[in-house]
Amino acid sequence: MTNFDFLLSEPQFSTFSDVAVNAEKILTIDAAASVLNCRRAMEFAVKWMYSVDTDLHMPYDATLIILMNSAEFRELIGEDMYRRMDFIRKAGNIAAHGEKKISMEQAELCLENLYYFLDYVAYCYSKNYAKGRFDADLLELTTEEALSFVTEETIDVESLLAENKALKEELTARRAAGQQTYVPTPLNLSEFKTRKIYIDTQLTEAGWVENKTWKHDVPLAGMHNESGVGFIDYVLYDDMLKPLAIIEVKRSCEDRAAGRLQARLYADSLEKQYGRRPVIFLTNGFETWIDDDHYPERKVAAIYARQDLQKLFSLREARTSLTHVAVDKTIAPRQYQVDAVKAACDALDAKNRRRALLVMAPGAERTRTAVALCKVLFEHGWVRNILFLSDTASSVSLAKRCFANLFSDISVTNLCEEKNNLFAQCVCSTYQTMFNRIDEEDDDDRKLFTNGHFDLLICDEAQRSIDTAYREILNYFDAPMLGLTATPKNKLDKNTYAFFEAEGVQRSAQKSM
């Protein structure tokens, strides 16, 4: 008996029911294989939902990350369920690489999260739903029992769509009715152990190694309490065992104020001890904020990878003022281009903003202007890695040529065409291509594009890009952002100025022309 036996009585769930059952049955012999099967069962179920629900439209690419991140899917399942599913996806990515160990606790949490997702699926689409509960006591099998349950099934999306075409109207109506009364099981963040599993998984995905590059419950003397000793939830170290960052864990986002004060006291003490102030991360396991002692505290997609923290400190030491910059006029020969570069520098430096918007008329050579800005930022130690994003392959090709011809001091790649040239300082890509490659890893099983990898994001045709499903890319990468547009939107729900924190910007570039 398993937690997923309730699926077996429904023939329509056969696409994913056996894989879910097998995921639980092999837990005791191979936690990583169990997690992989959890991910596969979830992926099969998501694709099944797309095949039977008229409110879900199969995108151009049927990879799991794209299916999960469509606006219609996320709205349908809700944020808590998405977080459960995203944990399974991330743990599955880790399990796919044997050198990164999956713990039994991570595998058990994957099974629990998978249960609640598939329970939701059954509630919405089944005629014979019966309320159940996840029973952790069922997660124990003998080795002999577990050995016979490994599966290598795959799924043909086209066949699935054709097979379920006739069921779409009926099952969509059933889901729409059931969704109104579904009561989701809240995420359990009351236990530190549960939160720690989520955080440890996030650290592993970013390449951190427990007891080698990070430790938890690190004692720190000189605190203002009765014992005089505090315990830092997590400390992340460089090669010299000098703290790069600390992580303060709280039960919910409401505890953030108290956590912030405590973390800053820890950072003060470590700064006195090591001569360098560590970066502060505040997290409840799902939502994470960063205090880098430069910009105001902000929400980030994940804890930084080690190399990104090291780069942050290196850039901090190299950075010089942008107050009086010399713009290369061989790149930006017109005065309005020079003015645009200086205005962006003023926003990033003097105003300490992380977003800037250049509104320039068609034909004003926005890309050249962006290249000129990048050269200034390189010369003044503000950036090392740049991501140029556009929504068309032709615009990406143009950007690559501009960078290569006008700023030869840096390496440039077109990610749409050069699939293996991934270590260039300037990466030009469509949103679609970058979205597909966010989860990729190098030969050392490290993520190629961690959330702190880039130091500047350039969004071409910004008025379109910020309102698509690919906005998740902008939420994922934690970097200052430059928007380029000729036709900004100024509507209440789609405001280009507001997104780039430039509501009061005058269209000086257009006037200069």
Side-chain angles (χ1 to χ4, degrees), residues 10 79 112 208 282 289 304 314 319 330 448 502:
E10 293 272 1
E79 194 59 28
E112 181 178 352
W208 297 93
L282 303 171
W289 296 263
Y304 274 26
S314 178
R319 184 176 296 164
T330 63
L448 290 170

Side-chain angles (χ1 to χ4, degrees), residues 311-492:
K311 182 183 62 172
L312 183 150
F313 283 108
S314 178
L315 287 174
R316 184 181 294 176
E317 293 175 1
R319 184 176 296 164
T320 58
S321 172
L322 300 176
T323 302
H324 302 290
V325 296
V327 180
D328 188 337
K329 293 193 175 182
T330 63
I331 302 176
R334 302 183 183 279
Q335 188 58 44
Y336 63 80
Q337 295 170 334
V338 173
D339 291 342
V341 171
K342 290 185 176 181
C345 288
D346 182 63
L348 295 172
D349 190 1
K351 296 177 180 176
N352 201 35
R353 292 196 339 228
R354 288 176 55 80
R355 296 183 182 182
L357 179 67
L358 298 185
V359 182
M360 303 174 69
E365 297 183 299
R366 296 189 301 273
T367 305
R368 290 184 72 105
T369 306
V371 174
L373 173 63
C374 290
K375 185 174 183 182
V376 169
L377 295 177
F378 263 97
E379 290 173 343
H380 288 263
W382 282 66
V383 300
R384 288 186 188 168
N385 298 322
I386 297 168
L387 175 60
F388 184 99
L389 291 167
S390 188
D391 54 357
T392 65
S394 59
S395 297
V396 170
S397 297
L398 173 62
K400 197 243 178 168
R401 288 197 301 272
C402 279
F403 275 99
N405 294 335
L406 301 174
F407 188 17
S408 59
D409 291 344
I410 63 171
S411 54
V412 189
T413 185
N414 179 343
L415 200 61
C416 304
E417 299 174 355
E418 303 167 71
K419 304 297 183 183
N420 298 317
N421 184 13
L422 304 173
F423 302 101
Q425 293 164 287
C426 179
V427 175
C428 302
S429 174
T430 60
Y431 291 87
Q432 174 181 331
T433 299
M434 177 52 70
F435 202 85
N436 286 341
R437 307 196 70 171
I438 278 179
D439 277 341
E440 284 192 15
E441 297 185 337
D442 61 20
D443 294 336
D444 296 321
D445 291 337
R446 297 190 308 179
K447 290 194 73 170
L448 290 170
F449 300 117
T450 50
N451 66 312
H453 178 79
F454 294 106
D455 311 307
L456 179 69
L457 265 60
I458 302 174
C459 305
D460 192 29
E461 299 295 348
Q463 79 284 358
R464 291 201 299 265
S465 60
I466 64 173
D467 295 321
T468 68
Y470 302 119
R471 184 163 172 170
E472 282 301 309
I473 298 175
L474 309 185
N475 294 334
Y476 172 74
F477 289 116
D478 181 47
M481 204 178 302
L482 175 71
L484 306 177
T485 183
T487 54
K489 294 180 181 178
N490 199 16
K491 298 180 180 179
L492 186 62

Side-chain angles (χ1 to χ4, degrees), residues 86-153:
D86 201 45
F87 177 80
I88 298 172
R89 185 186 67 81
K90 289 178 178 178
N93 291 343
I94 294 170
H97 301 276
E99 294 183 8
K100 296 181 179 180
K101 185 179 179 181
I102 289 289
S103 69
M104 188 61 68
E105 289 79 11
Q106 286 173 312
E108 289 175 354
L109 187 55
C110 278
L111 286 166
E112 181 178 352
N113 286 347
L114 179 65
Y115 172 85
Y116 286 116
F117 169 55
L118 295 182
D119 177 73
Y120 166 80
V121 172
Y123 186 93
C124 288
Y125 298 101
S126 172
K127 286 183 180 179
N128 306 307
Y129 174 80
K131 185 174 177 59
R133 67 176 184 86
F134 182 78
D135 187 355
D137 292 337
L138 295 177
L139 302 182
E140 296 182 7
L141 286 177
T142 66
T143 301
E144 291 73 19
E145 288 174 322
L147 279 171
S148 61
F149 295 111
V150 179
T151 176
E152 295 295 334
E153 294 179 48

